[in-house]
Coordinates of all heavy atoms in Angstrom, one line a residue:
G562 N -9.4 10.3 6.0 CA -9.0 11.1 7.2 C -7.8 11.9 7.0 O -7.6 13.0 7.6
C563 N -6.9 11.5 6.1 CA -5.6 12.3 5.9 C -5.4 12.5 4.4 O -4.2 12.8 4.0 CB -4.4 11.6 6.5 SG -4.3 9.8 6.2
N564 N -6.4 12.4 3.5 CA -6.3 12.7 2.1 C -5.2 12.0 1.4 O -4.4 12.6 0.6 CB -6.1 14.2 2.0 CG -7.2 15.0 2.7 OD1 -8.4 14.6 2.7 ND2 -6.9 16.2 3.2
D565 N -5.1 10.7 1.6 CA -4.1 9.9 1.1 C -4.7 8.6 0.4 O -5.8 8.2 0.7 CB -3.1 9.4 2.1 CG -2.1 10.5 2.6 OD1 -1.8 11.3 1.8 OD2 -1.7 10.4 3.8
I566 N -3.8 8.0 -0.5 CA -4.1 6.7 -1.0 C -2.9 5.8 -0.6 O -1.7 6.3 -0.7 CB -4.1 6.8 -2.6 CG1 -5.3 7.7 -3.0 CG2 -4.3 5.4 -3.2 CD1 -6.7 7.2 -2.6
V567 N -3.2 4.6 -0.2 CA -2.1 3.7 0.1 C -2.2 2.4 -0.8 O -3.3 2.0 -1.2 CB -2.1 3.3 1.6 CG1 -1.8 4.5 2.5 CG2 -3.4 2.6 2.0
L568 N -1.0 1.9 -1.1 CA -0.9 0.7 -1.8 C -0.6 -0.5 -0.9 O 0.3 -0.4 -0.1 CB 0.2 0.7 -2.9 CG -0.1 1.5 -4.2 CD1 -0.2 3.0 -4.0 CD2 0.9 1.2 -5.3
I569 N -1.4 -1.6 -1.1 CA -1.2 -2.8 -0.2 C -0.8 -3.9 -1.1 O -1.4 -4.2 -2.2 CB -2.5 -3.1 0.5 CG1 -3.1 -1.9 1.2 CG2 -2.2 -4.3 1.5 CD1 -2.2 -1.4 2.3
D570 N 0.3 -4.7 -0.7 CA 0.7 -5.8 -1.4 C -0.2 -7.0 -1.1 O -0.3 -7.4 0.1 CB 2.2 -6.2 -1.0 CG 2.7 -7.3 -1.8 OD1 2.0 -8.0 -2.5 OD2 4.0 -7.6 -1.7
I571 N -0.9 -7.5 -2.1 CA -1.8 -8.7 -1.8 C -1.4 -9.9 -2.7 O -2.2 -10.7 -3.1 CB -3.3 -8.3 -2.1 CG1 -3.6 -7.8 -3.5 CG2 -3.8 -7.4 -1.0 CD1 -5.0 -7.7 -3.8
N572 N -0.1 -9.9 -3.1 CA 0.4 -11.0 -3.8 C 0.9 -12.1 -2.8 O 1.9 -11.9 -2.1 CB 1.6 -10.6 -4.7 CG 2.1 -11.7 -5.6 OD1 1.7 -12.9 -5.4 ND2 3.0 -11.4 -6.5
P573 N 0.2 -13.2 -2.7 CA 0.5 -14.3 -1.7 C 1.9 -14.8 -1.9 O 2.5 -15.3 -0.9 CB -0.5 -15.4 -2.0 CG -1.6 -14.7 -2.7 CD -1.0 -13.6 -3.5
A574 N 2.6 -14.6 -3.0 CA 3.9 -15.1 -3.3 C 5.0 -14.2 -2.7 O 6.2 -14.6 -2.6 CB 4.2 -15.3 -4.7
N575 N 4.6 -13.0 -2.2 CA 5.6 -12.0 -1.7 C 5.7 -12.1 -0.2 O 4.8 -12.3 0.5 CB 5.2 -10.6 -2.1 CG 5.3 -10.4 -3.6 OD1 6.0 -11.1 -4.3 ND2 4.7 -9.3 -4.1
A576 N 7.0 -11.9 0.2 CA 7.2 -11.8 1.7 C 6.5 -10.6 2.3 O 6.3 -10.6 3.5 CB 8.7 -11.8 1.9
T577 N 6.2 -9.6 1.5 CA 5.6 -8.4 2.0 C 4.1 -8.4 1.9 O 3.4 -7.4 2.0 CB 6.1 -7.1 1.2 OG1 5.9 -7.4 -0.2 CG2 7.6 -6.9 1.5
F578 N 3.5 -9.6 1.7 CA 2.1 -9.8 1.6 C 1.4 -9.2 2.8 O 1.7 -9.4 3.9 CB 1.7 -11.3 1.5 CG 0.3 -11.5 1.5 CD1 -0.5 -11.4 0.4 CD2 -0.4 -12.0 2.6 CE1 -1.9 -11.7 0.4 CE2 -1.7 -12.2 2.7 CZ -2.5 -12.1 1.5
G579 N 0.3 -8.3 2.5 CA -0.4 -7.7 3.6 C 0.2 -6.4 4.1 O -0.3 -5.8 5.0
G580 N 1.3 -6.0 3.5 CA 2.0 -4.8 4.0 C 1.8 -3.6 3.0 O 1.4 -3.8 1.9
I581 N 2.0 -2.4 3.6 CA 1.9 -1.2 2.8 C 3.1 -1.0 1.9 O 4.2 -1.2 2.4 CB 1.7 0.1 3.7 CG1 0.3 -0.1 4.5 CG2 1.7 1.3 2.9 CD1 0.1 1.0 5.5
I582 N 2.9 -0.7 0.6 CA 4.0 -0.5 -0.3 C 4.4 1.0 -0.4 O 3.5 1.8 -0.8 CB 3.6 -1.0 -1.7 CG1 3.2 -2.5 -1.7 CG2 4.8 -0.8 -2.7 CD1 2.7 -3.0 -3.0
G583 N 5.6 1.3 -0.1 CA 6.0 2.7 -0.2 C 5.3 3.6 0.8 O 4.7 3.2 1.8
K584 N 5.3 5.0 0.4 CA 4.7 6.0 1.2 C 3.3 6.3 0.7 O 3.0 6.1 -0.5 CB 5.5 7.3 1.2 CG 6.9 7.1 1.9 CD 7.7 8.4 1.9 CE 9.0 8.2 2.5 NZ 9.8 9.5 2.5
P585 N 2.4 6.8 1.6 CA 1.1 7.2 1.1 C 1.2 8.3 0.0 O 2.1 9.1 0.0 CB 0.4 7.8 2.4 CG 1.1 7.2 3.5 CD 2.6 7.0 3.0
I586 N 0.2 8.3 -0.9 CA 0.2 9.2 -2.0 C -0.9 10.3 -1.7 O -2.0 10.0 -1.5 CB -0.2 8.5 -3.3 CG1 0.7 7.3 -3.6 CG2 -0.2 9.5 -4.5 CD1 0.2 6.4 -4.7
G587 N -0.4 11.5 -1.6 CA -1.3 12.6 -1.3 C -2.2 12.9 -2.5 O -1.8 13.0 -3.7
V588 N -3.5 13.1 -2.2 CA -4.5 13.4 -3.3 C -5.3 14.6 -2.8 O -4.8 15.4 -2.1 CB -5.4 12.2 -3.6 CG1 -4.6 11.1 -4.3 CG2 -6.1 11.6 -2.3
G589 N -6.6 14.7 -3.3 CA -7.4 15.9 -2.9 C -8.1 15.6 -1.5 O -7.7 14.8 -0.8

């Protein structure tokens, strides 16, 4: 819907587990 890619932290050892990493990456 907004022509982006997002990175999600799925490392169970991290406090940021389940969160979006950084800003969305614009693509085509």
Side-chain angles (χ1 to χ4, degrees):
C563 48
N564 305 326
D565 284 329
I566 299 298
V567 293
L568 278 72
I569 309 296
D570 186 348
I571 57 169
N572 186 349
N575 290 344
T577 53
F578 174 79
I581 296 176
I582 304 172
K584 295 182 179 180
I586 304 166
V588 290

